[in-house]
Amino acid sequence: MKIKAINGFKDILPEEVPLWQHIEGVARDIFQRFGCHEIRLPILEKTELFARSIGEATDIVEKEMYTFVEMGITMRPEATASLLRAFIEHGLHVRQPVQRLYTIGPMFRHERPQKGRLRQFHQVDAEVIGAVEPEIDAELMAMGQMLLTELGLSASLEVNSLGCPGCRPEFRRRLVAYLQDRQAGLCEDCRRRSETNPLRVLDCKKAGCREVVEEAPSILDALCPECRSHFDQVQSRLDLLGVSYSLNRFMVRGLDYYTRTTFEFVTGDLGAQAAIGAGGRYDGLIEQLGGPKLPGIGFAMGMERLVLLLQAADNRAERPGPSLDLFVAALGSRAGLHGYRLVHGLRQRGLRAAMDYSGRSLKAQMKQAARQAARHTLILGDDELERQTAILRNMQTQEQLPFPLQADVGQECLQLIDIIQTT
Ligand code: HAM
């Protein structure tokens, strides 16, 4: 029986890889423009790290983590907790008061797989640690927006504030009281959540729950003066940068570490999975994880979702892989050996070269050269070796030129490179 990949775990095939590389390239370029440096993090962390940061009562920690229970370790469901663990462990704040970091890689959540939702998925994630100013919040959202724009995508930016440990408990009390009287209208999950994690009820997608929360108290009316002023300034900075957004008082996010600003980039083009990327501020988290008292903010984009949108939006999905500079079609054993050294010599000198080793016919080898998108093919038989002249075919124009063979393969390579680069 054939062994297949695990449900929710997906191979990224060679023809799809150029699109992934394109997304990574654009993300790296933009993040670097904003002064972010890359950090690479392990996939496994102590389970406690996620329980303490994301929160015991969240869906992720309660039921979605891949945990090796006896070892007490978990495959990271997101990057922020790992990044902060590394930040604290290596005392990165000592080097620079404000750290701007980004990371790219796979995350793992045991969710029900569907379009745009996998169990192993990838994020590009950026975090700014050590700055509380609203300019940073707006700048990060502008950076996310720039990433989408430069990829040729559009999404709506939704923004909310979740307040701080000073003002949120009072809002929570008011919300719990409101929900208590309306339990009958809530789904089973939300009835449970209205005790364990009441804010989550606000972003339940079920029609009954939406109806209940429509009239619920708004967190934006419950912000303390400091959070209110911070949020007002975030909005004015977004306006200054020309970033359009809308307020969404129901957005609470599925991770418990957020304070103040939260945001999501949403689209209607991905079915149920509306969020392409999301993030927010987590001013108490670093201290909570045993680090210095420093604020932070960040966001992550889901790469599978970006890929799906790009595939649907345009022909970038067809982006061809790198083509070959030269295919050597060798006929006969002596020619084969000559070609073997030539291909190696070209690769040593930086060209993409290939040949066939299985002694196929010229016709079959020409087909193979075309399939590999070779720009040129050098046709080389034992007869050509005798005459010291091979045939160089330009695969685009079909033009064929005699190519004088040399005793020295190095010389031959240089001459070939010369011709290839000028045609
Ligand atoms: P998140 O909202 O859980 O936030 O995930 C961010 C993005 O990752 C989502 O908007 C979505 O595009 C993608 N994503 C999440 N789960 C899946 C999945 N199962 N399959 C495919 N894509 C998925 C975080 O992870 C936070 N760490 C973001 C953040 C960074 N907050 C502050 N800094």
Side-chain angles (χ1 to χ4, degrees):
M1 203 178 69
K2 276 193 241 160
I3 299 174
K4 291 196 167 172
I6 306 166
N7 190 18
F9 288 69
K10 202 172 151 287
D11 302 306
I12 299 164
L13 297 176
E15 62 266 26
E16 298 169 292
V17 168
L19 190 56
W20 284 77
Q21 289 173 336
H22 172 64
I23 295 169
E24 282 169 16
V26 174
R28 283 179 203 285
D29 178 39
I30 292 174
F31 291 177
Q32 282 161 15
R33 272 184 246 166
F34 283 78
C36 299
H37 296 275
E38 185 174 1
I39 182 166
R40 298 189 183 196
L41 302 160
I43 282 168
L44 284 166
E45 297 277 358
K46 300 210 172 107
T47 305
E48 195 194 345
L49 173 69
F50 302 117
R52 263 168 60 187
S53 54
I54 299 170
E56 298 274 8
T58 56
D59 283 353
I60 297 179
V61 172
E62 263 186 0
K63 50 189 185 202
E64 292 170 2
M65 294 206 305
Y66 285 91
T67 296
F68 299 84
V69 177
E70 282 179 11
M71 287 186 255
I73 55 181
T74 289
M75 293 168 78
R76 62 179 184 194
E78 58 117 42
T80 312
S82 305
L83 190 142
L84 296 183
R85 194 265 313 133
F87 172 87
I88 296 166
E89 187 170 334
H90 302 285
L92 296 186
H93 62 289
V94 179
R95 301 187 199 169
Q96 211 162 17
V98 177
Q99 282 277 341
R100 293 166 176 250
L101 300 166
Y102 77 90
T103 195
I104 301 180
M107 312 292 153
F108 304 85
R109 294 184 196 174
H110 191 262
E111 295 187 85
R112 198 165 42 80
Q114 52 176 240
K115 183 179 169 198
R117 190 162 77 191
L118 287 112
R119 291 178 170 171
Q120 175 177 332
F121 61 98
H122 299 74
Q123 286 183 341
V124 291
D125 178 290
E127 312 285 346
V128 178
I129 304 163
V132 74
E133 294 80 12
E135 282 76 11
I136 301 288
D137 305 39
E139 199 174 274
L140 266 181
M141 287 184 252
M143 184 167 89
Q145 189 69 267
M146 199 179 287
L147 173 55
L148 295 171
T149 307
E150 292 200 13
L151 286 173
L153 297 174
S154 63
S156 330
L157 171 62
E158 296 187 352
V159 188
N160 194 17
S161 174
L162 293 182
C164 66
C167 53
R168 202 186 312 165
E170 175 52 25
F171 171 71
R172 194 187 140 116
R173 262 191 297 281
R174 280 166 53 196
L175 182 64
V176 170
Y178 173 87
L179 294 173
Q180 238 157 23
D181 300 338
R182 294 163 179 83
Q183 292 286 299
L186 297 176
C187 71
E188 202 185 313
D189 274 345
C190 284
R191 256 177 262 151
R192 189 173 47 83
R193 280 189 199 126
S194 50
E195 306 228 329
T196 55
N197 203 349
L199 267 70
R200 286 294 293 176
V201 178
L202 292 176
D203 78 347
C204 180
K205 304 286 175 284
K206 304 229 171 70
C209 302
R210 292 196 89 120
E211 214 172 290
V212 169
V213 302
E214 197 54 48
E215 302 290 314
S218 165
I219 186 141
L220 293 177
D221 298 331
L223 299 179
C224 63
E226 292 77 18
C227 288
R228 179 77 254 165
S229 147
H230 185 271
F231 194 51
D232 287 345
Q233 289 182 62
V234 169
Q235 293 175 67
S236 87
R237 297 305 178 272
L238 283 172
D239 294 337
L240 269 183
L241 297 180
V243 177
S244 46
Y245 61 93
S246 58
L247 298 185
N248 177 359
R249 67 187 174 93
F250 301 114
M251 186 211 306
V252 294
R253 314 276 301 114
L255 306 94
D256 279 356
Y257 50 60
Y258 292 112
T259 53
R260 293 192 168 171
T261 316
T262 55
F263 54 96
E264 283 186 357
F265 293 99
V266 295
T267 172
D269 300 336
L270 278 178
Q273 305 311 314
I276 314 173
R281 193 163 264 293
Y282 43 81
D283 289 346
L285 181 57
I286 297 166
E287 200 180 11
Q288 195 180 312
L289 290 173
K293 191 170 166 24
L294 286 174
I297 178 167
F299 72 87
M301 295 268 186
M303 293 187 73
E304 279 74 7
R305 295 185 189 176
L306 294 173
V307 166
L308 279 174
L309 288 169
L310 283 174
Q311 282 172 337
D314 65 17
N315 55 9
R316 280 227 191 78
E318 305 300 318
R319 197 172 274 266
S323 57
L324 275 185
D325 296 305
L326 184 83
F327 186 88
V328 176
L331 294 161
S333 56
R334 275 180 57 226
L337 293 178
H338 188 96
Y340 189 58
R341 288 171 61 212
L342 185 61
V343 164
H344 187 63
L346 289 169
R347 288 173 178 160
Q348 277 177 322
R349 288 166 179 79
L351 263 73
R352 298 193 188 105
M355 68 178 289
D356 165 68
Y357 300 129
S358 61
R360 290 200 274 175
S361 70
L362 179 61
K363 199 171 154 204
Q365 292 196 50
M366 293 310 284
K367 265 196 190 160
Q368 189 178 343
R371 242 194 335 264
Q372 291 186 247
R375 287 166 47 217
H376 294 85
T377 301
L378 188 73
I379 302 163
L380 180 63
D382 286 349
D383 285 354
E384 278 77 14
L385 274 187
E386 278 310 314
R387 289 201 301 271
Q388 297 285 298
T389 308
I391 299 163
L392 184 63
R393 182 182 172 91
N394 182 322
M395 299 293 280
Q396 253 150 25
T397 62
Q398 320 280 326
E399 195 188 350
Q400 300 200 150
L401 291 172
F403 175 75
L405 298 172
Q406 315 269 335
D408 177 43
V409 175
Q411 278 302 319
E412 206 167 281
C413 287
L414 293 178
Q415 212 173 346
L416 263 174
I417 292 171
D418 218 30
I419 301 175
I420 287 173
Q421 284 175 345
T422 50
T423 51

